[in-house]
Amino acid sequence: MVSRRRALQLAGAGFVALAGCADGGGETPNPTDADTPTETPPATSSTPTSETPDAAGVELTGAAATWTRSFDGTLRTDPAVVADRVAVVVDTTVYGLDAASGETRWTFESPVTVDAEYGRPTASLQVHDGTLYALVGVSVGTGAHDYVLHALTPGGDERWRYESPLRKFHQVAGFGDGAAVIPTHDDAIGGGREETTFAVNLHNGTRRWRADTGDGMDGAVGRRYAAVETYGAVDCLGLAGGTHRFRYSPDGDADIGASAVGSGRLFVGLQPFAQNADGPSLVALDAASGDEQWSLRDATVSSLRTPDDLYVGGDAVLRLSPDGTERWRYDRGGLLTGVPFDDEALYTNADASVVAVDRGSGDELWSADTSDVALPRARGGDAVVSSDGGARTVYAHGVSDGDERWRATLSGEYPPTPAADADGAYLATAGGELLKVPF
């Protein structure tokens, strides 16, 4: 699911970071007090629940569901695809389903214990280098506890687990230099370095380092550095040893809107308030020293991505070289947070349309009319899948021509973000069902 902060931005301003990373090199590690991962038995399989051809409350136009699954519990995550499996977390159990049939191939039970009267499970899934990372914990409204990060193979075996000692909300900001970076926060708003960000080694699940930061509400991870977005500031950390490089706090009244790390730089997108309208909207900082390299003004910056150069989303989509040189500008606007890129194009939203923009030239390849904010969320096979939470509608368009393949209208609350593979898209409903729709 999207973070609490990003969900509020989406509801209020049309924003919903997947921050790419392209800065090379390394640092000398510092000694750490690494934790020992817990040994666990292998995962077990379960019998699938009853399957039905159609999900309740889902209207499909242009296609029929390949399969539909319902679960005896509450879905806690978006679906995630790893190899030939699609995974979700139901309460505190990770399900690995056969992507072709929807049958349960394995389950894995997290050791998190939830008080039935006070608290609820919270979880997220991410896939990195063929491993499924499941972060499971307990939310108690204004606090959280018992967070565990599990590294699972596509076959459901647990490679390791890291049990956090912190009674805070956790999230995986990203992966870099062989580690997962995990900021933490609580619900008390503050600007000091009062929280903790830590890194977990991906090869064995030991803690590499922990560092004091502000409330980690979001972040970006590169090859050598990590950025942790806090209230009104960004902390920059070295990935090798967790060294606190610097804290960037913008002058005047401005909100941190986005961050990205790449080419030895930390990029920070700002949302200046009216009384500081003349301030910069984008700042590039040397990631080692914090010295400002360049800045951009007179632009609206909603999101930043660094798959190679810096891509800026807002009132226009910009592709900038690391030194700030503009390579191209796409003037119809676009929201780039989390949208899919491939070798040829990036996919975004502009003027109530899903559009494909050529990554080399910035030319529009095609445009398809949709609802107000149908954000592309996944690229699979020969299609791109978009979701409009307000309209509760998911669309699939062909990547070569933008022709609509199908659309699905879901009842209930804001639908989870869809996932996709070569054969189709996986949609979770607010009612707790998961269905596959073919391309």
Side-chain angles (χ1 to χ4, degrees):
M1 306 289 185
V2 294
S3 68
R4 179 178 309 184
R5 179 182 179 191
R6 286 302 188 226
L8 291 174
Q9 285 181 325
L10 177 65
F15 303 159
V16 265
L18 175 63
C21 44
D23 63 311
E27 297 174 303
T28 303
N30 294 331
T32 61
D33 56 341
D35 298 327
T36 302
T38 305
E39 295 292 334
T40 58
T44 59
S45 296
S46 73
T47 303
T49 60
S50 61
E51 301 180 16
T52 57
D54 299 306
V58 177
E59 270 186 43
L60 274 169
T61 303
T66 302
W67 52 257
T68 299
R69 281 295 309 274
S70 58
F71 300 91
D72 186 17
T74 302
L75 280 177
R76 302 294 178 181
T77 65
D78 302 324
V81 176
V82 55
D84 57 353
R85 301 289 181 260
V86 56
V88 291
V89 178
V90 180
D91 294 328
T92 59
T93 302
V94 186
Y95 280 76
L97 308 181
D98 186 288
S101 67
E103 297 179 353
T104 301
R105 294 306 182 196
W106 53 263
T107 62
F108 175 82
E109 182 64 42
S110 177
V112 171
T113 301
V114 182
D115 187 322
E117 295 183 2
Y118 189 61
R120 62 179 178 83
T122 179
S124 63
L125 293 175
Q126 293 196 40
V127 177
H128 178 72
D129 285 346
T131 296
L132 178 69
Y133 293 93
L135 182 64
V136 185
V138 178
S139 170
V140 290
T142 58
H145 56 82
D146 288 352
Y147 270 87
V148 183
L149 180 65
H150 303 278
L152 305 175
T153 68
D157 294 323
E158 185 181 51
R159 293 178 50 223
W160 51 257
R161 70 175 58 170
Y162 175 81
E163 299 184 13
S164 172
L166 304 177
R167 298 180 65 86
K168 304 288 184 181
F169 294 103
H170 293 52
Q171 69 182 85
V172 178
F175 303 88
D177 192 32
V181 178
I182 303 178
T184 70
H185 74 275
D186 57 25
D187 276 357
I189 298 176
R193 294 215 315 245
E194 301 169 349
E195 299 300 333
T196 299
T197 294
F198 57 94
V200 176
N201 289 308
L202 298 183
H203 69 284
N204 62 3
T206 57
R207 191 180 70 217
R208 180 181 297 186
W209 50 256
R210 59 186 294 176
D212 292 336
T213 60
D215 283 299
M217 304 303 296
D218 218 323
V221 181
R223 292 180 181 172
R224 294 178 59 193
Y225 305 99
V228 179
E229 295 181 31
T230 71
Y231 288 106
V234 177
D235 287 318
C236 185
L237 307 172
L239 277 179
T243 304
H244 192 277
R245 293 292 184 172
F246 61 89
R247 163 167 285 193
Y248 172 72
S249 300
D251 295 332
D253 293 319
D255 183 31
I256 306 297
S259 63
V261 183
S263 302
R265 291 174 172 84
L266 168 61
F267 303 101
V268 182
L270 303 172
Q271 299 171 18
F273 297 116
Q275 56 267 42
N276 190 39
D278 294 332
S281 51
L282 175 61
V283 177
L285 308 166
D286 184 284
S289 65
D291 294 336
E292 183 175 319
Q293 304 293 296
W294 52 266
S295 63
L296 179 70
R297 297 173 184 268
D298 301 324
T300 299
V301 176
S302 63
S303 56
L304 301 170
R305 294 282 298 275
T306 55
D308 37 46
D309 285 343
L310 175 67
Y311 294 80
V312 182
D315 53 0
V317 177
L318 308 178
R319 180 174 178 175
L320 306 179
S321 298
D323 63 3
T325 302
E326 184 179 305
R327 295 191 58 182
W328 53 253
R329 174 184 296 259
Y330 174 71
D331 282 320
R332 286 186 64 194
L335 306 174
L336 297 183
T337 302
V339 306
F341 283 57
D342 58 33
D343 291 340
E344 302 298 325
L346 63 89
Y347 304 91
T348 187
N349 175 283
D351 295 337
S353 302
V354 170
V355 298
V357 179
D358 186 282
R359 285 181 61 181
S361 65
D363 294 335
E364 182 178 286
L365 299 175
W366 52 258
S367 174
D369 292 339
T370 56
S371 48
D372 286 343
V373 187
L375 289 174
R377 306 303 295 175
R379 163 78 159 83
D382 60 353
V384 59
V385 182
S386 308
S387 178
D388 184 338
R392 300 183 181 90
T393 303
V394 179
Y395 304 85
H397 294 93
V399 296
S400 61
D401 51 19
D403 287 348
E404 183 176 305
R405 301 288 181 80
W406 48 258
R407 68 175 61 190
T409 303
L410 293 77
S411 62
E413 299 176 357
Y414 194 97
T417 299
D421 61 15
D423 301 320
Y426 303 89
L427 315 182
T429 73
E433 294 180 296
L434 182 69
L435 64 153
K436 179 177 182 177
V437 186
F439 293 140

